[in-house]
Amino acid sequence: YREGLPKVLLEAAASGRPIVTTDVPGCREVVHDGVNGLLVPARDVDALVRALRTLIVDPRLRVECGQEGRLRMEREFSVDEVVRRTLLLYRNGPP
């Protein structure tokens, strides 16, 4: 329940897939609830079922979340952006 930044979530978003994940550090940095996926409390099976059902019955939401996830990956997690932020951090120190 403390994964860091799960690469599988980045890959899913980059592939244009909506995401359902737990609301824990690392996962919540990738998913904006209701925008590019759905966050559920850790260990809450009922919330997980509800979130999956929401995406299953709402094709428009699936598409919108997938598209937004792809745009977010391009905007915030592209190689160029990660390198830019890393160099900025080296130059200026932590925010």
Side-chain angles (χ1 to χ4, degrees):
Y1 295 99
R2 297 288 185 257
E3 295 188 44
L5 188 68
K7 191 172 184 179
V8 68
L9 297 182
L10 299 175
E11 291 171 349
S15 298
R17 301 292 181 239
I19 299 169
V20 176
T21 191
T22 52
D23 189 6
V24 297
C27 295
R28 74 172 67 108
E29 280 69 39
V30 177
V31 175
H32 291 165
D33 193 43
V35 177
N36 65 323
L38 301 172
L39 292 172
V40 298
R43 300 182 176 100
D44 188 337
V45 174
D46 293 333
L48 176 59
V49 169
R50 285 190 304 273
L52 291 171
R53 186 173 288 135
T54 296
L55 288 175
I56 288 168
V57 302
D58 191 342
R60 181 191 53 78
L61 181 61
R62 283 196 312 269
V63 170
E64 288 176 2
C65 284
Q67 289 173 340
E68 181 54 36
R70 174 63 190 188
L71 291 173
R72 183 156 187 252
M73 290 305 104
E74 291 172 359
R75 200 172 48 244
E76 298 177 32
F77 291 93
S78 69
V79 170
D80 292 337
E81 183 59 18
V82 171
V83 168
R84 185 190 73 75
R85 288 183 189 183
T86 301
L87 292 175
L88 190 62
L89 179 65
Y90 287 160
R91 282 189 216 116
N92 301 330

